[in-house]
Amino acid sequence: MEEKDRKKHRKKHSGPKADKKRKRHLNDLGLGDDEDARKRNPKAFAVQSAVRMARTFHRTQDLKTKKHHIPVVDRTPLEPPPVVVVVVGPPKVGKSTLIKCLIRNFTRQKLIEIRGPVTIVSGKRRRLTIIECGCDINTMIDLAKIADLVLMLIDASFGFEMETFEFLNICQVHGFPKIMGVLTHLDSFKNNKQLKKTKKRLKHRFWTEVYPGAKLFYLSGMVHGEYQKQEIHNLGRFISVMKFRPLTWQTSHPYVLADRMEDLTNPEDVRVNPKCDRKVSIYGYLRGAYLKNQSQIHMPGVGDFTVSDVSFLPDPCALPEQQKKRSLNEKDKLIYAPLSGVGGVVYDKDAVYIDLGGSHAHQDEEEEVRPNRELVQSLISTHSTIDVKMASSKVSLFMDSKPLGSEDVENQEFVMPKEEKQIDLKTGRVRRKAVFEEENDNGASGEEEGQDEEMSEDEMDGSEDGDGDDEGESDKEVPGQDLGLRSAKRVKREETTEEAGMELPAFADSDDDLEMSSGEEGETDLDESKEEVEDHGDEEESDEKESSDKQRENHNLDHRLGKKVVPTTDSGNCTAEEASDSEAEGSSLEEEEEEGLNDDSEAEESDRKGIQSAPEKNVDGVEWAESKVVEDEDGGDDIENLLKEEEEYGEENDLSADTAGALKWKEDLTQKAAEAFLRQHQSAPNLRKLVYGTVAEDADEEDDAHEELGGLFHVSRPDKESKQKANALDCSKFPVETPQDWDLDEVMNSIRDCFVTGKWEADKDAAKLLKEDEELYGDFEDLETGAVHKGKPAGSEGEEEDKEGKEPKAEEEKNKRMDKKRKLKAMFDAEYDEGDATYFDDLKEEMQKQAQLNRAEFEDQDDESRVQYEGFRPGMYVRIEIENIPCEFVLNFDPHYPIILGGLGNSEGNVGYVQLRLKKHRWYKKILKTRDPIIFSLGWRRFQTIPMYYIEDHNGRHRLLKYSPQHMHCGATFWGPITPQGTGFLAIQSVSGTTPDFRIAATGVVLDLDKSITVVKKLKLTGFPFKIYKNTSFIKGMFNSPLEVAKFEGAAIRTVSGIRGQIKKALRKPEGAFRATFEDKLLMSDIVFMRTWYPVSIPAFYNPVTSLLKPAGEKDTWTGMKTTGQLRHELGIRLKQNKDSLYKPIVREKKHFNKLHIPKALQKALPFKNKPKNHEKKAKPTKDQWRPAVIREPHEKKISALLTALGTVHSYKIKKAKLNHRQHLKDYLKRKHKEEEEKFKRQKEAKKKLFRIMGQKEKKRQKSSLKGSREREK
Amino acid sequence: MASQPHSLSYVGCNFLRQRLVLSTLSGRPVKIRKIRAKEENPGLRDFEASFIRLIDKVTNGSRIEINQTGTTLYYQPGLLYGGVLEHDCSPHRSIGYYLESLLCLAPFMKHPLKIVLRGVTNDQVDPSVDVLKATALPLLKKFGIDGEGFELKITRRGMPPKGGGEVTFACPVRKVLQPIQSTDPGKIKRIRGTAYSVRVSPQIANRIVDSARSILNKFIPDIYIYTDHMKGTSSGKSPGFGLSLVAETTNGTFLGAELASNPQGQGTAVLPEELGLNCAKLLLEEIYRGGCVDSTNQSLVLLLMTLGQQDVSKVLLGPLSPYTIEFLRHLRSFFQIMFKIETKPSHEELQGGEKVLMTCVGIGFSNLSKTIK
């Protein structure tokens, strides 16, 4: 027993000792210390067979090329969007806990409840958007399409669940993202062995589903309701270094996973009709491909929409600035999750939010309404005019502060919110509850917050997170302003605009104030702005005053901003569209004024700085503000005020311009110079303007929309028709307007260099290149003769230059030398490296080059112009406005369900017939029936449609199938959205409810898109003969009119018995009867039929699954069209079966065949073999032939019995003797064989002996003979 | 239901081809109103109707609605189908008018297009088949549209006013296009041309050649102008003659120019010598304009760049023609694509006029019609 337990000795295979041993062993073998067999014994590795060598070579090459993928251009942006990490798993498996732990691991923050995506900075170059995927199949489908990484949680104590497999199958169809399994609930195993076994089993199953070797993580147990820190840390490390491969669908379509949603609908419209279509803005990181403005998008679960506006915003969760440190600063560990209520300050296009609450603020519960959001809230949900709203709206500046009303601002008094400490009964923590006076009068005294991290959910709504607040505060503190709310950055920009455009931004602001505030306030503001304008007039005189004014202005500005919080001034993020709009409007509306402004601002600019920077831009900004004002149609009466003010403003402006011109005549000079400079610079934009700028908007209906603004303004645009000659000749030729005189020498010379005979560029001129090469290779030493040949020294002329020119000369020389070196290196490379570059390498390099070009082309441009050319690039944080969204989307908004905006390519918004290759899933228990509605997930979409299954016959015909085949691919056609070929899809019968069975019914791929279909089904027309001639018959009952017959003349027909024939011609008398010929005579009982193919029409039924529009909590109950089977089941209608279709026992009548009768004459003629052999019946045996039975006497009986007995005994004896004899023989043979063997052995021995002796003798003889020969030699 | 992509609306019959072609490629319906509404003879002309018919032939499932007077046209595009087709073009415009649009559409069909076009091969208005063959086809090759089934064959020549010419155009289909970077036109290394004459004295072609050479020889010696005299059935129904010239550069750029005689019974007779001289001068003008693509094919190259992968494409052009400018605007409204336009002032070197560098990022267009097996 003990011996068995002892461990076996294991030999060492590595280490110095093992090496020594090996060496000794080799030495023993006499091989020396050359370990490499190839070197030691080269012969053994020489080429044995050329054929085999070729084969092995081919094989290695095959294996090598098999690994290649078609190289694609790397289109990942420089600053990629956050990686989407989807956490999937069945319920109660620990998804939320894992997310919380991960967030805590990366950001040191603890979120209480997670709703929607959470974006965090996980490393210097990586951000993560973590989102939880519920078990609703709609969510699973949507998230599988956008996931970069899937964390698949598996309850180890339970094993795999259907959800896991369903999700894996969804992933397989829509492009396979990286999948990492995470086993949880491992602490429930008490037995270590069982745990090990389970781990192994689950791992192998996981590997078969994903790929062998897929990473599976084990989370062993919980500590205080969280996973173990080290394990989560490791998981985080894995996530943050993971590499992703691009997926086709994702890289070719832009998409946004929304992390915020706002309702922008005009509250008046909502008041009038609460069910009106909404205008919504959605925020999120753009991923995938470039997004263009005005492009089509699809929101899974909602429908198709056109983007009405896109703009990009500063990144709310930006990657840290480049730093040398390896790890992140604590400050850079940002987290952004507006739907969960984390985020800090948010800059919008038209507002600044300091709120942490998500955009789900529109939920109807009153207690959900947070004071922070109240301003926006009130703007949205109340049903009164804007003035009243503004007066009553409140906002709190700091968290936990009492919201400010408009009247509060005057008093400048703060009422701190009361806090209430509550001790959580469960955890014993001290919790603080912010109580506001409106809600609750019994609040305690104010107190600054300490540990906001541990706020409960309801508190989160009311106040913001501690960390976020700290950041916000640092931003908010504008010097000298206790009320300043904007970030420093924002203020700075304001300043710059003011420097440039002086009075303009203030004006814009004042407008907004006017518009938004009550009448009383409006007046004060108006005064203010007037003051400002005057101030600017003064400013031009002294710089000191200017600065002070500016400061004051800032004060004013900020003051007002403080009051309003929602400034609607320029945010700098105006989109391309708007910019062009404003340009266009500017040109048409108030060109003169603009010019005046322009001059003025330019003059100031040049005076102050001496450098003309960008007056254009300023003006644009101003105009934009103006147009914005004009566009605002909310307050009709306010606009009048506005208009008045605008006029005044204009006057002021002119005045100031005049004075400026009068006072500083010198300015004109610089200005002119600047203008000239500008003109020169703007030649390119001019062409751009010519093409894109001055043209009115592309679509006319848009023009119509802008035609009247607020019923007051009429936009007059330059008449399009007059410009473009709408009805001119359509010709692509570009005729020469002013032909040059090509006989003149100067003119001819102008294109001299376009020809090969002309002068070449320096780097291509053959003569020059030759010369350079000479310089390069000039120096060489002739080894044979020893003579040194020297090339012309390259910089010989340079040395003669005087000393001032020496330094640049040296520089030049250096460059030249570098050039030379580079050239030499390139040559060397070309000679040695490029030799074995394969086609694949070339292709890869080409792609690389393209990728580089893509990156470099627009790199140097600012984002605004870049966006115009490329569209919004992935990685940007964008705000997308969408109109005409069903109100249910807003009303039933649930942040737990992901909102995805998937961009659609060209004509992907259209519908048509789509042909698929489809296979029923092997785990789905039923088969699919043609014309049963089914839900497809294809592209971004989920929709219900009615497919028709078909199979392709050998001649290419698409034959309709009633049911999908069991284990085979078949075709399917449906009417639905056009999606590019090669896109994968899956089908499910229903998205509502849960079933224990596997839900994915079929998978496949799109093959073809068309506007018509070619599916046919078989149609047999039958007829009956009513008159039969020899081979001709008249058939009736197949057609109804001679016309129909005429259409089918010449068609092949057949009888059931297999006689083939052809339709000839219609008969006159019975309508639809015809004459037909057959290869044989028919019987009257024959049925004639014709096989035809009838094209099937597909019902144009396309019904998007609008699961997101369902009320909260019912989002997984979407049901569309029901199948007839379902309806029948529900309504209890039994199917009436056709009696003929029922199976009955087959009763076959016994067939009687008549006797074969051969005529006598024929019988005679037949050969004997075939003649019927009519044998005469044999007569009965006669009496003499018939033998009677013998009956024995008793005595005779006895005798015969004895004889039989004797016979038996005898036969037994003989048998025994035979057996004995056989045994003997066997023994004898055995013995003999043995003896024989022995004898043989002996003989062999003897022979051996003999031969040995003989051999020795022979040897001796030989030796002696050798000796003899040697002796003979001697 | 899927919301129909909002349609675009235009006024007037100008740029009809562009609009229909772009509508077909982008899948957005287009509505054109007020077609010659104020003219004496309102509505669509014969050649436009013929063009619409051609579009209908090459597509499947398009809906075309024209009102009673022909002043309003609504076009809802189907999918491009292709296949073997024939089309009788209206003799009012030359085949080039139709072919230019087919060049844009042909690579994106379901089945490779093989079409026989009958009508006027050369006239004074539109780019002739010869020039398109010499300039547009090599251009398409740069985008990866190449292969055996890519050819343009002139089987018969037909001159206005009666026509009678015949052209076979075949083009393979592609799923995606390659991006191009052609910013260096290179230097002109040779000039080729065709002097054709139908139903006139064959000597006329020789006279044209001589006069054209007299000018071009001052620049480059490598000139060869083929004389093409068509006889019998292949000579169409009307007499006429003309010259088309193409300059080829070292980098594979083709610049073309052409001139045709006045149609029979219209205008004064043109001397062949004069025509040769003028055509040569037109070629020089074209060379002066320069660029990597000649002025007639500007819009084609811009379209193919737009329809490329999501990569940067660059091309150097001569001054933009009005047709191209309008085309750029249309591209923006149909595809939301804007080109970066940079003017490259001519250097001190004697290389002709100002050039324009056009840059864009393709929209990642893929052929939705092509079947995969």
Side-chain angles (χ1 to χ4, degrees), chain B residues 41-345:
Chain B
N41 186 5
L44 290 164
R45 294 262 189 279
D46 271 359
F47 62 90
E48 281 158 348
S50 174
F51 178 75
I52 292 166
R53 232 169 282 134
L54 176 64
I55 289 280
D56 190 34
K57 263 182 202 169
V58 296
T59 58
N60 179 24
S62 20
R63 222 178 81 205
I64 297 163
E65 284 166 20
I66 302 170
N67 72 345
Q68 202 74 40
T69 51
T71 51
T72 308
L73 166 72
Y74 177 77
Y75 173 64
Q76 190 183 359
L79 286 168
L80 288 164
Y81 201 79
V84 180
L85 297 169
E86 283 184 24
H87 185 70
D88 288 320
C89 305
S90 161
H92 290 119
R93 298 294 289 263
S94 82
I95 289 175
Y97 176 82
Y98 303 91
L99 201 56
E100 273 185 302
S101 300
L102 281 184
L103 283 168
C104 303
L105 297 175
F108 307 109
M109 305 267 174
K110 189 184 282 294
H111 305 295
L113 181 71
K114 189 169 186 193
I115 190 165
V116 177
L117 297 167
R118 296 200 188 83
V120 177
T121 52
N122 304 71
D123 74 351
Q124 294 179 315
V125 185
D126 289 303
S128 71
V129 183
D130 298 87
V131 166
L132 286 178
K133 185 181 177 180
T135 58
L137 262 58
L139 188 63
L140 288 181
K141 280 181 186 168
K142 280 188 185 174
F143 287 92
I145 305 158
D146 204 355
E148 303 168 12
F150 186 49
E151 63 163 0
L152 178 59
K153 213 167 104 188
I154 305 162
T155 40
R156 285 175 200 170
R157 264 185 209 286
M159 300 294 288
K162 283 182 185 156
E166 190 179 289
V167 167
T168 314
F169 173 57
C171 181
V173 290
R174 288 287 173 269
K175 190 144 194 293
V176 287
L177 297 183
Q178 296 165 0
I180 59 159
Q181 269 79 43
S182 61
T183 47
D184 184 13
K187 307 247 179 219
I188 291 162
K189 59 177 181 186
R190 62 168 78 109
I191 292 174
R192 293 286 176 269
T194 320
Y196 55 87
S197 55
V198 286
R199 294 187 176 271
V200 290
S201 158
Q203 208 49 46
I204 284 184
N206 295 336
R207 284 160 69 187
I208 297 173
V209 171
D210 286 344
S211 63
R213 288 194 72 124
S214 69
I215 286 200
L216 297 176
N217 259 336
K218 293 174 193 166
F219 293 96
I220 195 160
D222 188 0
I223 302 166
Y224 193 88
I225 300 170
Y226 301 87
T227 53
D228 183 12
H229 183 71
M230 293 277 199
K231 280 186 222 163
T233 50
S234 56
S235 64
K237 292 172 185 161
S238 306
F241 55 89
L243 172 66
S244 66
L245 292 170
V246 174
E248 189 190 343
T249 70
T250 49
N251 285 5
T253 297
F254 292 85
L255 304 171
E258 62 172 327
L259 214 55
S261 64
N262 283 336
Q264 190 184 27
Q266 292 168 27
T268 53
V270 184
L271 276 180
E273 283 82 9
E274 210 175 303
L275 185 134
L277 282 179
N278 288 338
C279 187
K281 284 177 183 170
L282 278 183
L283 183 68
L284 294 181
E285 282 286 353
E286 193 61 49
I287 292 168
Y288 180 80
R289 283 174 182 167
C292 290
V293 178
D294 67 349
S295 57
T296 44
N297 291 313
Q298 280 175 353
S299 54
L300 178 63
V301 74
L302 294 179
L303 177 73
L304 295 178
M305 280 162 71
T306 307
L307 298 180
Q309 293 293 287
Q310 291 193 334
D311 291 319
V312 169
S313 283
K314 282 177 156 191
V315 72
L316 189 76
L317 299 179
L320 299 180
S321 70
Y323 187 80
T324 312
I325 289 174
E326 192 59 31
F327 191 74
L328 283 170
R329 290 171 193 158
H330 280 128
L331 275 183
R332 189 175 63 157
S333 47
F334 278 100
F335 291 111
Q336 279 85 41
I337 202 110
M338 231 170 116
F339 277 78
K340 187 164 129 189
I341 307 171
E342 294 164 296
T343 41
K344 297 268 158 158

Side-chain angles (χ1 to χ4, degrees), chain A residues 1198-1259:
Chain A
K1198 253 183 193 170
I1199 291 170
S1200 73
L1202 184 66
L1203 279 176
T1204 335
L1206 284 174
T1208 316
V1209 169
H1210 176 69
S1211 68
Y1212 179 73
K1213 269 184 180 168
I1214 287 176
K1215 216 178 183 179
K1216 213 175 174 183
K1218 241 182 196 172
L1219 257 171
N1220 246 344
H1221 176 69
R1222 210 172 281 162
Q1223 187 62 38
H1224 279 298
L1225 191 66
K1226 221 177 177 180
D1227 285 352
Y1228 169 72
L1229 283 175
K1230 224 178 189 176
R1231 222 180 312 129
K1232 201 160 188 204
H1233 184 72
K1234 228 177 189 175
E1235 277 168 11
E1236 200 99 321
E1237 237 172 33
E1238 256 165 43
K1239 197 175 145 195
F1240 185 69
K1241 226 178 188 176
R1242 264 199 321 274
Q1243 276 178 353
K1244 218 177 172 185
E1245 284 290 301
K1247 266 183 192 168
K1248 223 176 183 178
K1249 226 180 235 171
L1250 187 71
F1251 282 132
R1252 194 158 53 215
I1253 294 163
M1254 274 168 73
Q1256 279 167 349
K1257 265 184 188 169
E1258 180 78 5
K1259 233 181 200 173

